[in-house]
Each structure stands twice: as C-alpha cells, then as structure tokens.
Amino acid sequence: LAHNARKVNWQSRLNKAAHHTSDYSSTEVILRRGQPFNISLNLKTTAQSWDNFTFIASTGPSPAESQQTKAIFTLSEEGASGWSATQEPSEPRCLNFTILSPADAVIGRYKLQLQVLAGSKVSSKALGQFVLLFNPWCPDDDVYMANEKERQEYVLNDSGIIFQGVEKDIQQEAWNYGQFEEDILDISLAILDRSLSHREDPAVDVSKRSSPVYVSRVISATVNSNDEKGVVEGKWSGKFRSGTNPLRWSGSVTILRKWYRARYRPVRYGQCWVFAGVTCTVLRCLGIPTRVITNFNSAHDKNLNLSIDKYIDMSGNNLDLSEDSVWNFHVWNESWFIRRDLGSFYDGWQVLDATPQEKSKGIYQCGPASTKAIKEGDVNLDYDSPFVFAAVNADCVTWIRYSKKRKERIHSDTRKIGKFISTKAVGSNSRVDVTDNYKYPEGSLKERQVYKKALKLLGVRRPGKRTKIPRPRRRFSRAQPAQPPSISGKLLLDASPVIGQDVLLTLTLRNLISDFKTINVKLKASAILYTRKPKAEILQLHRSIKLGSEEVKEISFKISYSQYKNSLMDDRKILVTAVCQIKRGASLLVEKDIVLQDPFLTIKVLGPAVVHKPVNVEVTFTNPLSEEVTDCVLRAEGSGLLKEQLRIHVERMAPMETSTLEFEIIPYRSGTKQLQVDLVCTHFSDIKGFVMLHVAPAH
C-alpha cells in the first residue's frame, strides 16, 4: 500500500464547506465531530483485492482506546469507539472513503492511519492530520444549537459588541473576536495544553476533552495568567507603564498572537471585558456557541453572605473595611451546552468567568454555572453558582463610620445589584436584556423565595424576611437600625459632558418635613475605575444649607477641565458623592456616576467592498482639547479586512482641530465585517469608532 498509494486527497474544500469551517485561515483539514467526511486515495496501479482495511485515528501524547483517544475501525463494522468508515463507489485507481466520528469524540488534532491486510502481509500508510471540533450543527453533540441564525452569531460571527458604562448610560464597545484569523486555532489548542490539568496528566486531560463542561472550565482558568501563566494578566490599580492599558485593546487576535509569539508569556494587562473577549474567541474557535454578557452594578461578594457592606467616613471617603465591592459593570461569558452532570433542566446557557476574582477548587476559574440554577437559587450545583448568584442578587448596605465605636447604617438597597444584564442581539448590534434568564422580577414573591433558598443553602443566617441587619462585626457595636432621613437629594448633570469641557452639576435638596434645619454638605468628586475604586481626587467642597419647612434648594457647581484633566488621561469615569448631615437626624448619601462622552470619530468606506479588491477608508476626528496635542496614533483593525493591525502616526493636532485621514484595506473574507478605528493619544482616553461593512464575494 505504501508503494502503491500516490496521493491522499482530503477533499479539503468540500469537507470544510460541509462542516462550516471554510472561514478558518488555515491550510489544515478542520472538521466537526459527529459528521461524515470524505477522503480519497489515488493509486499508481489498479487496486488488488485487499482483504480488509483498518483505520486508526489517534490524538494526544499517548493515544489509548481505553481513554477514547485512539479509535480502530474497519470498513465492515463500526468500532467499539463509535468511529466508522464506508467505501464509496470508486474509479479503478482511486479509492473513496467516508469516515464518521462519534458526536462525543475528543476534540483536538488527530492523526489518521490506514492499515491493509493483503494475504498475510500488513502494510500501513499515514493519511495525514486533521483537527476535530465541537459541532453545534449535530443534534447528538452536547453543544447542539437548533437555530441557524443563532449558530451564525454565536459560533461563526468573528466580531461583536461588549456593553460597558453605567446602568443609566450604557455604551457599545466594538470587539474583534477573530476566531478564524491565522494561528488562532493553533493558539486555542495550545491554551488547552498549557492548563494545569494537562501538565499533571496529559493523557487523562486529553481524554476529557470530549466534554464542553470540562473544556470551557479549563479555558476559564487558562485565559487568566494567575495559576499557569495563562494568556492575560489582570491589573486594576496604578499605572500600566509595563504593559498596555486594558482600555486600549480592541480585540483578541493581537493579544492571543502576542502570548503565543512570546512563548506563552502572559500579556499585560487585562480587565474583565478583555478576559471575556478572549474567552469568547477561544470557545467559538473550538466550536462551542458563546456570547459575552455585561452585568451592571455587579457584586463581588468575597465572603458569600449575599450582603455588600460599604463604609464611608463623614467626608464621603471610601473606607477599606470590607473586601466586598460593587462594580459599575462586570463582563463574563455564557456558553451553550447540555449538563449531563446536573440533569436536563439545567441545559442551555452556562456562565463562565475568566476574570481572576476568587479561587475555585484551588485555582482562579469560574463556571460553567447554569443560568437556570442561578435563577432558581440552586447555589449548591457545580460550578461556582454561589459566586454568580451573589453577583446578580446581593444586597447593598451603606454605612457612615464616625468612630471605631459608632457607625450608622444610612442606606440599604435590595434592588441595586444585577441590572440590565446585556448581550448583543443575534444578527444586529442592538442590546438584548437577558436579566430574566438570571432572576425573577425584583420584589416578586418568587424572587424572595429564591433568595431565601440561596441564603439557606449558603448557611447565612439573617433575621426577618429580607431585612438588612448584618451580623455584628468585631470592633463595631451592634448596628443601629436606620431611621429614614428627613431630607431627599438628587445630583443632576446639566448637559452630557464631553471630554475637554467643564462638567456642570446641580445638587437638589428637599426638606421632607415641616421644620427648619441646617444641613452640612460635603461634596467630593473622584476619578474612578469601573470597579468604582477611586484613582484620584478631583474636587472637594463644603457647604452649609438652610432649609425651611418642605423647602427645595439647588446648589450648582462645576468640575472644570483643568481640575480633571490629569486624572482622566486614560479613562473617563467620575464618581460624585454628597454626604448631607443634619444635627440630630439621619444622614443622607447622594451619589452620581458620570462617564464623559467621546468626541465623535466618523468612518466612511469610499466604495463597494469586494473580496481581494482594494477599497479606501476615510476617517475624520477632532482634537477635543483647547490645547495642541502631539504624537497620536490612529489604529485600525478588523477580521476579514486587515490581517494585522494598521497604525498611522498623527504628528500634531492644533486645539479643536478636525483632521481627515485615508487608508486602504483589501478584504479577504466575504460577509458582514466590523472595521474598528481608534485614536490613541497620551492627552486623553482613546477615541473609538467602528463601522459595519458588507463584503461581497469575489466575482
């Protein structure tokens, strides 16, 4: 056979089209499990009567039938492994075979071998290699997704939107997933091989790669660098001089290639949306339907008591007395598969979170946690459902601490956490609210029952129905129950503030009862991270306000550009707090999150976009500052449009100047593609824009 076989034809184009893998920029044969593929053998002479053909498919470092990493099967019968082969009608000098892998085969890179028995002589021939992926098109695969539009979105779409900002001002950020770009499949398989479980026992690890539960959990651990020098290193404080500011990334491809090319050195730095964007790329690449989810007002409940306690002093400064926190938003992933380990009720979307927040079974990983389990309060189910349940359901309690012995509970909120849980719509860039997948309506009887069930399963004891008097802590006297404040207050923005301009605010105070009172107001503005951790103080004001019976007063103030410019060079979030104190009365805390708007950046594609044909793109942008800026860089990227990130140097821009630049792209994949443009400058945070363009196939 080895002498007689002239050529092995893997019929790559036909197989790839049938297996929905034509988009991968790779010369390799890429197939999906549970679906037949064709292979032909061209011979030098006419085939003699060979008694039998035996195929051997093997994967991993030590293939073994007992581990499902080696399959031996013949033409006459399906092997014990579930693999089978049939011979198709063939020409005299050509043998055609159809090979079928089982729907629960181990995924990864395989070798295929053919053994032929002629008389008493066995000869063998290596047929080549192929990569086997999960198959959402196959009804018997655990990742089967019935709806074609959903498969197009969650498996085949190589770009998307990640929602960020604050609950009252949700913003779209474009992200380039790029799962089909050159090397990304190799890198995704390499990530599996870098995991701790692979290092401990490669053979056992590979044998478990038939399960999306296992593979997705391993990816949630290896996308962060914390335990095994995974892909991205997180950083949530200080400067980013020794790496890239997390806000600068606009896609996964650059990050994954950087990690791979530097021989697996973690890429600096990421925050939650970066971990989620990279995870989405890798899982879509391996064939697991995956999407990115944003949870607004997300709780990080370290001690899992479903209560987030926040302490401030009399001036509104945050006191680090609790390890719990509430982030403006947190981004994680959901992947779609069935849960053989939990039962079919828990099938469907599963939460995965690669951001290193808490250890699970000794390493930084999180999920898969069934969204159904979270909605029903089944926090005893694998994996990490208590952490995700708390992220969307914890209560928020705010305390003012006057001294070591005296503190006052000024606010308790059961509705603040877990708002506007968002993901990108199928087939468009609009926002879809998926909060209903995570919880019953706020305040409903069912929601309270689920909350109580979770408290019980977590072993947290609380008095009352859902009253918020936490257990007394050491160093503190027992909490005094909060009496309602006799004043109300609101912070309002006068206009939508743009970076480079002053921010104008009004604090409105209302006396709720018919008496006369003097209110001591301490106002404070800080630059914050999206985790609401203060980075720098911008402004402090003290005012004394007299309020007559049921009177309303307004205090106007401004944060000038000169006051905030040095604190907001790489981000644009400001937190304003007003602590309002009355003699012999309950205090009031009023807070306002502000996100400064980006100046506009417009992108025009000058002509029709066609595969392999150059087309020009015109970008117009404005310097938002009333001062000259120098050394800016315009960056462009987009899967299917630009093979590497494009960088154009912008020498200088006069104050408030509008500039126009042109560059050329040569699309190399048809379909709807996302082109991202980003103006990077040291004087202000990046100005980002994107445009969707339809690329026609080559004529």
Side-chain angles (χ1 to χ4, degrees), residues 185-219:
L185 177 58
D186 284 346
I187 297 169
S188 299
L189 293 169
I191 290 174
L192 288 173
D193 288 346
R194 300 294 297 167
S195 72
L196 291 180
S197 27
H198 190 77
R199 284 182 219 179
E200 277 159 27
D201 191 334
V204 169
D205 168 66
V206 171
S207 75
K208 289 180 175 170
R209 291 182 190 175
S210 56
S211 158
V213 174
Y214 181 78
V215 169
S216 64
R217 184 158 173 81
V218 166
I219 296 297

Side-chain angles (χ1 to χ4, degrees), residues 360-407:
S360 166
K361 307 231 181 349
I363 65 173
Y364 284 96
Q365 57 186 348
C366 181
S370 162
T371 51
K372 293 255 183 63
I374 291 152
K375 183 165 182 171
E376 298 301 331
D378 297 329
V379 293
N380 52 330
L381 297 181
D382 285 342
Y383 290 88
D384 310 305
S385 47
F387 187 74
V388 183
F389 183 87
V392 298
N393 284 304
D395 291 340
C396 242
V397 185
T398 310
W399 305 79
I400 288 188
R401 184 177 187 246
Y402 299 107
S403 67
K404 277 194 175 174
K405 292 229 167 92
R406 185 167 163 253
K407 60 173 187 171

Side-chain angles (χ1 to χ4, degrees), residues 421-566:
I421 305 175
S422 305
T423 193
K424 175 194 168 306
V426 170
S428 85
N429 283 340
S430 51
R431 185 184 78 84
V432 172
D433 196 294
V434 294
T435 312
D436 285 352
N437 293 356
Y438 284 83
K439 47 192 186 178
Y440 288 97
E442 287 287 358
S444 66
L445 179 65
K446 188 76 182 154
E447 181 243 2
R448 271 204 287 283
Q449 286 168 346
V450 164
Y451 189 84
K452 275 163 119 172
K453 174 184 182 181
L455 278 178
K456 195 172 165 190
L457 285 168
L458 292 171
V460 180
R461 279 202 285 288
R462 287 250 191 101
K465 277 207 191 73
R466 196 170 169 174
T467 51
K468 303 305 149 321
I469 303 175
R471 291 162 292 176
R473 310 205 164 194
R474 290 193 310 276
R475 302 203 317 273
F476 285 128
S477 57
R478 179 175 275 283
Q480 308 149 356
Q483 55 179 108
S486 59
I487 51 170
S488 68
K490 222 176 188 158
L491 273 163
L492 292 171
L493 273 175
D494 292 10
S496 193
V498 177
I499 205 132
Q501 296 173 0
D502 296 348
V503 179
L504 305 172
L505 286 140
T506 304
L507 171 67
T508 307
L509 289 178
R510 178 188 296 269
N511 188 355
L512 299 174
I513 55 176
S514 51
D515 70 346
F516 176 83
K517 50 173 69 92
T518 303
I519 299 157
N520 223 339
V521 179
K522 288 180 177 169
L523 256 160
K524 184 176 170 303
S526 313
I528 55 163
L529 276 167
Y530 77 102
T531 58
R532 301 194 93 206
K533 272 227 162 28
K535 285 197 300 187
E537 192 171 290
I538 296 172
L539 168 87
Q540 266 206 349
L541 292 174
H542 290 194
R543 296 275 166 85
S544 184
I545 308 292
K546 293 183 167 30
L547 277 185
S549 166
E550 295 181 10
E551 189 182 356
V552 178
K553 271 198 180 153
E554 291 185 347
I555 311 163
S556 294
F557 60 101
K558 77 167 179 186
I559 307 167
S560 66
Y561 169 64
S562 59
Q563 283 171 312
Y564 73 71
K565 75 171 191 181
N566 293 334

Side-chain angles (χ1 to χ4, degrees), residues 167 195 200 240 322 353 390 465 556 559 597 616 629 652 680 697:
E167 63 165 306
S195 72
E200 277 159 27
F240 302 104
S322 161
D353 190 349
K465 277 207 191 73
S556 294
I559 307 167
Q597 302 299 312
N616 278 8
V629 297
R652 58 173 295 279
V680 179

